[in-house]
Amino acid sequence: MSWQTYVDDHLMCDVGDGQTLTAAAIIGHDGSVWAQSVPFPQLKAEEVTGIMNDFDEPGYLAPTGLFLGGTKYMVIQGEPGAVIRGKKGSGGVCIKKTGQALIIGIYDEPVTPGQCNMVVERLGDYLIEQNL
């Protein structure tokens, strides 16, 4: 299965009432894009570095916020070293770290944080089981 299929079929899937995430991507720990949905922000190298630093040192992004393509998200409760969650207005982001990649889902209302977290973390857990 191609990485694009994971994004199209698993991340951009119907999360209920015909709603989907706004954008999603799978990127390598080095920032290389493995696959992404059509509307996904172009990440800057320092943004990926900040995300990786927060996984290594939980709380690293809390003072400055999480940035994706220049958009700032307030960092909210996640799972240290495994999941980073961010909030911006009525939407937000969930990032799950696997052995080789970052699974990123961005949502806006009416999609809920819980729906986004479930989709992103479920795929991340599956990829971890596959040693990816």
Side-chain angles (χ1 to χ4, degrees):
M1 189 181 309
S2 78
W3 290 112
Q4 192 62 49
T5 304
Y6 283 111
V7 170
D8 296 341
D9 295 351
H10 298 280
L11 293 175
M12 298 301 291
C13 65
D14 184 335
V15 295
D17 297 327
Q19 301 299 320
T20 65
L21 299 182
T22 306
I26 301 173
I27 64 170
H29 289 177
D30 62 356
S32 60
V33 176
W34 294 8
Q36 65 184 26
S37 62
V38 176
F40 190 82
Q42 179 68 45
L43 301 185
K44 300 177 179 125
E46 62 268 19
E47 294 172 339
V48 176
T49 300
I51 291 166
M52 292 304 295
N53 286 344
D54 195 84
F55 279 120
D56 293 338
E57 185 186 322
Y60 176 85
L61 290 174
T64 59
L66 163 66
F67 286 86
L68 294 177
T71 300
K72 182 179 181 177
Y73 295 85
M74 180 178 69
V75 178
I76 56 174
Q77 164 271 333
E79 296 169 32
V83 178
I84 298 171
R85 297 187 184 109
K87 187 90 174 118
K88 177 178 172 41
S90 61
V93 62
C94 178
I95 305 171
K96 171 81 175 184
K97 181 182 178 194
T98 72
Q100 300 175 30
L102 300 173
I103 315 302
I104 304 173
I106 300 172
Y107 68 92
D108 281 303
E109 281 187 333
V111 174
T112 67
Q115 289 171 315
C116 179
N117 297 345
M118 183 183 70
V119 169
V120 170
E121 293 175 35
R122 186 172 54 199
L123 178 59
D125 290 341
Y126 170 78
L127 295 176
I128 289 168
E129 287 171 15
Q130 305 303 309
N131 294 315
L132 297 168

